[in-house]
Each structure stands twice: as structure tokens, then as C-alpha cells.
Amino acid sequence: MTHPISPLAPASFPTLPPIAGLEAAIGRAGFYKHERPDVLLMRMPPGTRAAGVFTTNAVGSAPTDWCKQALAATRGGSRALLVNAGCANSFTGPAGDAACKRALEAAGEKLDIPAREIMAASTGVIGVVLDDSKIAKLLPSLEMAPVEWPKAAAAIMTTDTFAKGAGATCEIDGVQVNIAGIAKGSGMIAPNMATMLAFVFTDAALSAPILKTLLRQETETSFNSITVDGDRSTNDCVLLYATGQAKVPPIVDAKDDRLAGFRQALSDVLRDLAIQIVRDGEGATKLVAVNVEGAQSDASAKIIARTICESPLVKTAIAGEDANWGRIVMAIGRADQPVRKEMIAVRFGELYAARDGMVSAEYDEAAMSAYMKREELEITVTVGPGSGRARMYTCDLTKRYVEINGDYRS
Amino acid sequence: MTHPISPLAPASFPTLPPIAGLEAAIGRAGFYKHERPDVLLMRMPPGTRAAGVFTTNAVGSAPTDWCKQALAATRGGSRALLVNAGCANSFTGPAGDAACKRALEAAGEKLDIPAREIMAASTGVIGVVLDDSKIAKLLPSLEMAPVEWPKAAAAIMTTDTFAKGAGATCEIDGVQVNIAGIAKGSGMIAPNMATMLAFVFTDAALSAPILKTLLRQETETSFNSITVDGDRSTNDCVLLYATGQAKVPPIVDAKDDRLAGFRQALSDVLRDLAIQIVRDGEGATKLVAVNVEGAQSDASAKIIARTICESPLVKTAIAGEDANWGRIVMAIGRADQPVRKEMIAVRFGELYAARDGMVSAEYDEAAMSAYMKREELEITVTVGPGSGRARMYTCDLTKRYVEINGDYRS
């Protein structure tokens, strides 16, 4: 199916910095009826280290199970990545596990890399066993070449309406280091885990444990801080690869000050990709950042932010350009977190709708209406005297979301 | 605003059994711009006992705060009820509390009943202080008379498209006892508390503690087992009044066997009203019962049932008459409850879509498509070997829901 490009899409795909030694190929295995690439194969140079974060959905999927086991077995040694769109290979039992393994063995034979050093990622319909014979048939025609990022990002799309990429350049102890990443995701997007598929690459020589620590920490404020519909996929996965081509001095601790610039750059890339996913939220017409302040803890603030972001009544009001702050207050109240209702305030941009537990004296309907017509909204709520805070991103809930998801399989 | 009547509405308002001594009046105070009654005043005979369950939303509202305090102060002694639609008087601070109290004092003067023996319930827009002068102006024109249930139920509607009532007759120790109730609710409906407004009356002579125990227990499988959109209102409230006109023998323990028939009848009335609210879910075209079996506990089963019932992807698939069981599996997995994925089964009516952690061998797309066209659906999932089970009711998510809620205030 083809959808019109999201009105919130960036003007163009960004130019990503080069990651030395990376190769890729894309092709069409035929998981979709219509013409479109649906397979991405990537090869990394020897010495590459990898880390991943995966869905916490209890059902999971064959590819996420594979990645977790393979990363543990190889201690982060990974040389390749096989991604397919159109079939999630989730809830497919032992047959799905076997199909995943066969696909990786075929890819490994082509690349001359053991299967356990290849990560797998699948996205698409749940409950259908991966037809690995389609991948086996496609492999001989794939020619590995330097990565063309826009094409690689497009090959992993499902209901996405635009390809998503982000990159950054920074220094580690004076050595220039590059980061480039791609992601897909549009529906079944919820926080509290690695959400959707994202693959991020750096040329920095960093160990697997350091990659893992940084990835976990920075995922929290990026992919784990977005939500389109509160539905957490079975196949979510973010992988971070470090090819080691940029010879930075050995660093053994993720807390090392020399990683500050890298951490910031990684954080920027992950958040950029995460926000692009919200921008491509199914049916979205508004990008909304929700800030919660004054909560008992950051964790509590995040629960409140998520409740606001996932409230159908808040999301439909935003779609209708209605500054219905009463629904935001309702959502604060139903988050089951400690709040002081006489301190609750709700602000749209700089405009106060509510303050000190009541409608704000300075409430200006005309100014508020004008603000709500914007494409990007900033909602800030105060819930008490605490120091806990969180920032989460979401989109509005429109008829188009219902339309897209009422006939996904047909 | 007027909405077309829900396609899931019952054919007609039921005939409710008489509750001796009850009187009511309805009128228009003008909380809505358009012509419609928006106030219900009820009077109960001396000796009436009452119990209530109220929203657990932390923001709450002036009327629910009042009811909780008044019921505690009078130990369940309550003689009257004042309900208004069009203004929730929630998040209105001390000004809202004062307005609520003034309205009840005015009603008390008319009825010659102390204000603290009158319960208040409000429903409508959040954040607007109740204009009690409108109620004071209306009161002199209200003439108390035997209850006309359809009119009483209609006076408390907001976005409801039909008036909701249910009744039952049973015996306590050989004495015939009647139960009659009305409810309102259509959006901002979620479980885990007393949801929406419901007022239930019996002529049985039962103590306030017994009423409270029975109401709490039976609310769990009725109002606390429905969800339209997962958004829990600030004003939810279920009140149960016993006028004591049916002179049953004194009963001191809610566990008394002689209450079995009454408990069942009360349960039937509450569930009937609860399901009517789902039938009037904003934009609903399908009534869906979700059964969860094999969970670790009933509480765990209920969390899973709620996650399925509130998943936008499940709800939009149902709107599209798509038996997208993969999304149900996703929702089971994201409920963060102990499940055994190799035991997961999903059934639509008697048709198995999935079994033993995989698509079912007997899956029949044609039979499934035919089933999905029904107006009432029964979805049953097995999640493991446990004995925990739950049953929850929801409706589908349609474009109409988005439409209704995109311009509620305008």
C-alpha cells in the first residue's frame, strides 16, 4: 500500500557522514505483492563490535530472540545485518526460529561470515513464518557496495511514508568520529523499550560493553520517549555497530569523560531518528512534545507524560486544534502518580491554560486557538513541587489513523 | 450537539420495577446552549441508606469530593441527589467546592433536607466552575413526582446517544425486592474504578455497610470491566440507594446467604448498565467482549484483557472487520504480565485464529471474515496454564470517535 507522505516529514533525507568499511545491498524478495525493495543486507569490517536493545513485549519474535542470543554468544562480535520488511516472523514458534536461522545461514554463506555473527531484523505482519526461500533466491543477485543511505532506509519501511536517517560527527580524545543511522516505524509505536527498528553505525573503535551502556542510556530519552499509539511491537530493535575504523585510544569505562562528545552526538542521532518516527506516525498532522515538571521522580514524570501522550481524548483534541486542557488534567489524574492538584499547571507553548489547580486568569482563547494551528506543539505541565521531569514526543490521533489501521492486512 | 443514535443501542428503554417512595424532577438550568434538560433532582424517603464508589482519578472533582465526605459524615444517610450535565465542576479549586455546596444548600432548602444528606454528581466540561445560580433559578419550577425513568436517564446524558436504564426483581429471605438504575457515559470511559455516572435504587432495607460492600464487589465485574477509550474521568461515580420500603429481616453481614439473590440481581443491573455504556461508546459500531483465560491470577488476566481492549490497533482492526489476531497477540505481549507464549491461543467466537503459540491449523479466512461482520463479537485468549480469568467489554475505534472528540468543546 502507498500512503501520501506525512505533512510532518523533513524536507529531504539528510546527508550522513561516511562510515568507513560499511557495505550494503538492497533487493526485492517479494514479501509485498507490489514492487518495492523489502530486504537490506549490510556487511561490517572485521573487528566491528555491536550492542542492541530489544522489545520488552513478552511475545517477542524469532529475529529479536536470535539477536539477543547471538550478541551474548559472540560478546558483541557482529559483522553483518539482514533486515526484511513485510513479515515480522513473530509468534511463529520453532518454525519461525528455524526460518530465521536458515535465512542467516544463507546470508552468511554469501558473505563468508558465520551466521551467529549476523543480526536479523524483521518487520511486517505478525503470525506469518518467514519464507526464507524468498531470501535465499534473492541473495545471489545482491551486490555489496558502499551504503547508499536513502535507499537502505527505504528498503526497511512498512507503512512509513518517508525514509528516516540521521548522522553526527564528534571527537573522542581528539579523534574525529562519525555516526550514521537509519530507522523505520510509523504505527505500533510505544515507549518503554527499544521501539521499532533502528540501525546506527559509528566508525569509532569502542568495546561492546561501552556500546551497550551508551545505547541503553541514550535509548531512554529517545526511542523510549516516543509514542504514536501506545502499542508496543513484538519486533522492536535498535542496533548500534562500531566498525573501529576511527582509531580512538582504548576506553574501558562508559563514564569516561572523553566519551562526553560521543555520547551527546549519539543521543542527538537517536533522538533525531525517534522524532522522525513520530513525524511519520500513522495519520499524524501534529508533532507534540509533552514536558512534565514537578513530579516526585523522573520515572513518575515519564508515566504522567506517557499517559498524556497516549490519551485518545488528548490526541483527538489536538487533531481538532482544540486546546482542551481539561483532558490533559484528566490524563494527569489518571496516571495514578503522586500529584498535588492545587499546583497543577498546563501550558501550551508560553500560554498558560491552567495554573494553581484552576483555569488560568490569563487564559486567552484567541491566542490559544492561534497556537493550536501550529504543526509543532509544546505542552508543559507542572504536577507538584518535586524535581522529577520528563519529555516525551507524540502525534495527534486522526481519522486517517483509523483508516490506515482498519484495513492493514487487506 | 446531537449525534445519531448508536447502532448498538437497545431497541427501547426497559420497564423498570417500582421503587416505593422515590420522587424526581428534571429541568433545564442552561448548562448547554441548546434546548435539553440538564438537571435531575431526586428525593428518597426517610431512612434511606446509600453507598458510593468514586473515580480514582487523582484530580477528582468537587461533587465526588463532596459525596465522599458527606457519606462518611452521615454514615450512609442520604435523602436526595442533585445531578447536572454540561459542567463537570472538576479542577475548579475552592471556588468549585463552594459552588457545589451552594447548589446543594439551595436544593436542601427546597426539599427540606440538610445539604450534607444530598449527593451531588456533575458531568460535562472539565475546568469550568459550576454556575450554581442557574440551578438556584431552576429549583422553584421543579415539581417532585414519581420517577419517570426514561426522562431521568435522559436528563443526565452528555454525548450519550440513548438513555440507559436497567432493573431487576429478586427476593431477600422471601421478601420481594426491586432494583432500578440509570447511567450515563459514552466517552472518557475506562475501567479500574467506578466509571461514569450511575444511580441505582432498591427498596430493600439494607444497611450502608452492606450496600457499600456489595457495590464495591459488583462494580469490579461491571463498571470496572468496561473501557471505551482508556481515559478515566475525573467525575466517575456510582451511587446505590436503599429506601428500606421493602421490609426485609435485619442482615448484618454482606456474606449472609440470604443476600445471594440480591447480589446476583444487583450484579445483573450493574453489568447491564455498564454494557449499555459500551454500546454507546463514542463512534462505536461493534460491541466486543474479551475473555482472558489461563493467566497467573484474575488480576493479571484483567490487565491483559484491558490491554487488548484499549489497544488502538486492535480496536481499529475490529472497526475494519479484520480478524487481525496478530495485534491481539502483540497486546498480550505488551501487557507486561507472565504469559507462556507457546500456549497462547486466540479465538473469535468458536473460531481459532491461533493455537499453541502459532497460527491455528484450522484457520479459515472465509469463516473468520463472516464472523467479523457481526455487531457483537466474543474474543477469547488463552495465555498460559494458570486459573486466572477475566472478562471485559469494549467497542471498536472508528473515524467517528475522532470526529466527535476533535470538536467536543466547539
Side-chain angles (χ1 to χ4, degrees):
Chain A
M1 74 226 71
T2 48
H3 299 298
I5 290 170
S6 167
L8 305 173
S12 63
F13 194 91
T15 303
L16 305 189
I19 309 292
L22 270 197
E23 292 172 298
I26 65 166
R28 177 177 180 244
F31 293 113
Y32 290 98
K33 284 176 208 149
H34 50 290
E35 277 296 334
R36 55 155 287 182
D38 52 12
V39 167
L40 167 67
L41 181 65
M42 295 188 74
R43 177 162 56 190
M44 279 64 83
T48 294
R49 286 292 170 267
V53 283
F54 303 95
T55 183
T56 54
N57 186 301
V59 169
S61 65
T64 49
D65 286 351
W66 172 273
C67 286
K68 283 187 269 190
Q69 285 161 17
L71 281 174
T74 61
R75 296 186 184 180
S78 181
R79 292 277 318 280
L81 170 65
L82 175 65
V83 192
N84 74 277
C87 171
N89 200 15
S90 161
F91 199 69
T92 47
D97 293 335
C100 178
K101 190 167 182 232
R102 282 194 304 270
L104 294 172
E105 282 166 350
E109 213 161 299
K110 177 186 176 75
L111 302 176
D112 197 22
I113 295 173
R116 70 172 185 284
E117 293 182 24
I118 309 178
M119 299 293 109
S122 299
T123 175
V125 176
I126 295 171
V128 178
V129 173
L130 183 77
D131 183 354
D132 58 289
S133 73
K134 289 185 174 171
I135 290 176
K137 263 179 233 151
L138 171 70
L139 284 169
S141 69
L142 295 182
E143 290 185 27
M144 304 307 288
V147 188
E148 293 182 76
W149 292 111
K151 288 187 182 173
I156 63 175
M157 294 183 358
T158 55
T159 54
D160 302 61
T161 73
F162 62 88
K164 300 165 185 69
T169 295
C170 59
E171 286 190 0
I172 298 179
D173 210 12
V175 179
Q176 186 186 311
V177 161
N178 295 332
I179 304 175
I182 55 174
K184 67 86 38 183
S186 181
M188 207 177 277
I189 299 295
N192 202 23
M193 82 258 71
T195 316
M196 17 51 53
L197 303 183
F199 310 112
V200 181
F201 305 86
T202 176
D203 49 7
L206 291 171
S207 70
I210 283 183
L211 294 175
K212 193 168 172 179
T213 301
L214 294 178
L215 183 60
R216 281 190 182 278
Q217 289 170 350
E218 300 308 328
T219 297
E220 200 47 47
T221 51
S222 56
F223 296 113
N224 285 359
S225 290
I226 63 171
T227 181
V228 168
D229 49 17
D231 274 338
R232 188 192 319 160
S233 161
T234 48
N235 289 52
D236 297 331
C237 148
V238 181
L239 295 173
L240 172 61
Y241 286 92
T243 63
Q245 307 294 295
K247 297 296 176 197
V248 305
I251 294 181
V252 295
D253 186 352
K255 290 186 187 135
D256 193 309
D257 282 345
R258 290 173 295 173
L259 284 175
F262 181 79
R263 179 193 289 274
Q264 186 59 53
L266 177 64
S267 173
D268 291 346
V269 168
L270 294 178
R271 196 166 50 248
D272 189 339
L273 291 173
I275 292 173
Q276 287 186 52
I277 287 175
V278 181
R279 285 183 177 279
D280 207 5
E282 288 170 337
T285 67
K286 307 269 187 192
L287 173 67
V288 188
V290 172
N291 304 289
V292 175
E293 303 173 347
Q296 202 169 65
S297 66
D298 288 354
S300 177
K302 196 160 182 180
I303 292 170
I304 295 169
R306 183 184 306 150
T307 308
I308 296 170
C309 285
E310 294 180 356
S311 158
L313 288 170
V314 171
K315 293 165 86 82
T316 48
I318 292 167
E321 304 191 329
D322 175 8
N324 196 321
W325 57 273
R327 294 183 182 173
I328 294 173
V329 169
M330 174 281 300
I332 294 169
R334 83 163 168 94
D336 291 330
Q337 292 300 303
V339 300
R340 287 265 292 275
K341 75 174 166 181
E342 73 280 8
M343 289 184 69
I344 291 178
V346 179
R347 207 166 84 213
F348 292 79
E350 295 304 317
L351 302 169
Y352 276 92
R355 207 168 212 171
D356 302 328
M358 290 191 65
V359 63
S360 166
E362 64 209 90
Y363 188 90
D364 176 347
E365 188 74 47
M368 200 64 93
S369 293
Y371 184 80
M372 294 306 291
K373 294 196 189 308
R374 296 189 188 192
E375 212 166 70
E376 300 187 16
L377 302 175
E378 191 82 29
I379 298 174
T380 304
V381 304
T382 305
V383 299
S387 59
R389 47 201 306 145
R391 181 173 171 83
M392 188 164 278
Y393 301 88
T394 191
C395 56
D396 53 345
L397 171 59
T398 65
K399 291 186 201 176
R400 184 84 184 113
Y401 177 89
V402 177
E403 200 169 272
I404 292 168
N405 287 300
D407 64 349
Y408 178 66
R409 297 198 315 168
S410 52
Chain B
M1 73 225 70
T2 47
H3 298 300
I5 290 170
S6 167
L8 305 174
S12 63
F13 193 91
T15 302
L16 306 189
I19 308 294
L22 271 196
E23 292 173 297
I26 65 166
R28 178 177 181 245
F31 293 113
Y32 290 99
K33 283 176 210 148
H34 50 293
E35 276 297 334
R36 56 155 286 183
D38 53 11
V39 167
L40 167 66
L41 181 65
M42 295 188 75
R43 177 162 56 188
M44 279 63 82
T48 294
R49 287 291 169 269
V53 284
F54 302 95
T55 183
T56 55
N57 186 302
V59 169
S61 64
T64 50
D65 286 351
W66 171 273
C67 287
K68 282 188 268 189
Q69 286 161 17
L71 281 174
T74 62
R75 296 187 185 179
S78 181
R79 291 278 319 279
L81 170 65
L82 175 64
V83 192
N84 74 277
C87 171
N89 200 14
S90 161
F91 199 68
T92 46
D97 293 334
C100 179
K101 189 164 182 237
R102 281 195 305 269
L104 293 173
E105 282 166 349
E109 214 162 298
K110 177 186 176 70
L111 301 176
D112 197 21
I113 294 173
R116 70 171 185 283
E117 292 182 23
I118 309 178
M119 297 294 109
S122 300
T123 175
V125 176
I126 295 171
V128 177
V129 174
L130 183 77
D131 183 354
D132 57 290
S133 72
K134 289 184 174 170
I135 290 177
K137 263 179 233 152
L138 171 69
L139 284 170
S141 68
L142 295 184
E143 290 185 27
M144 304 307 288
V147 187
E148 291 182 77
W149 292 110
K151 287 186 182 173
I156 63 174
M157 296 184 355
T158 54
T159 56
D160 302 60
T161 71
F162 62 89
K164 299 167 185 69
T169 295
C170 59
E171 287 190 359
I172 299 179
D173 210 12
V175 178
Q176 186 187 310
V177 161
N178 296 331
I179 304 175
I182 56 175
K184 66 85 39 183
S186 182
M188 207 176 278
I189 299 294
N192 202 23
M193 81 255 76
T195 316
M196 17 51 55
L197 303 184
F199 310 111
V200 180
F201 306 86
T202 176
D203 50 8
L206 292 171
S207 71
I210 284 184
L211 293 174
K212 192 167 173 181
T213 302
L214 294 178
L215 183 61
R216 278 189 185 279
Q217 289 171 350
E218 300 309 327
T219 297
E220 201 46 49
T221 51
S222 55
F223 296 115
N224 285 359
S225 290
I226 63 171
T227 181
V228 168
D229 49 18
D231 274 337
R232 188 191 320 162
S233 160
T234 48
N235 289 52
D236 297 330
C237 148
V238 181
L239 294 174
L240 172 61
Y241 285 92
T243 64
Q245 306 295 294
K247 297 295 178 197
V248 305
I251 294 180
V252 296
D253 186 352
K255 289 185 188 136
D256 193 309
D257 282 346
R258 292 173 294 174
L259 284 175
F262 180 80
R263 180 194 288 275
Q264 186 59 53
L266 178 64
S267 174
D268 290 347
V269 168
L270 295 178
R271 196 166 51 246
D272 189 339
L273 291 173
I275 291 173
Q276 287 187 51
I277 288 175
V278 181
R279 286 183 177 278
D280 207 6
E282 289 170 337
T285 67
K286 307 269 187 193
L287 173 66
V288 188
V290 172
N291 305 289
V292 174
E293 303 172 347
Q296 203 170 63
S297 66
D298 288 354
S300 178
K302 197 161 182 179
I303 292 170
I304 294 169
R306 183 183 307 151
T307 308
I308 296 169
C309 284
E310 294 181 355
S311 158
L313 289 170
V314 171
K315 292 165 86 81
T316 48
I318 291 168
E321 303 191 330
D322 176 9
N324 196 321
W325 58 273
R327 293 182 183 174
I328 294 173
V329 168
M330 173 279 300
I332 294 169
R334 83 163 167 95
D336 292 330
Q337 293 301 303
V339 300
R340 287 265 292 277
K341 75 175 166 181
E342 71 281 8
M343 289 184 69
I344 290 177
V346 179
R347 209 165 83 213
F348 292 79
E350 296 304 317
L351 303 168
Y352 276 92
R355 209 167 211 173
D356 302 329
M358 289 192 66
V359 64
S360 167
E362 64 209 271
Y363 188 90
D364 176 347
E365 188 76 47
M368 200 63 95
S369 294
Y371 183 79
M372 295 305 292
K373 294 195 190 307
R374 296 191 188 191
E375 213 166 68
E376 300 188 15
L377 303 175
E378 192 81 28
I379 299 175
T380 304
V381 305
T382 305
V383 299
S387 59
R389 47 200 308 142
R391 179 172 172 83
M392 189 165 274
Y393 301 88
T394 192
C395 56
D396 52 344
L397 171 58
T398 65
K399 291 185 199 175
R400 183 85 185 112
Y401 177 89
V402 177
E403 202 169 270
I404 292 168
N405 287 299
D407 63 350
Y408 178 67
R409 296 200 314 169
S410 51

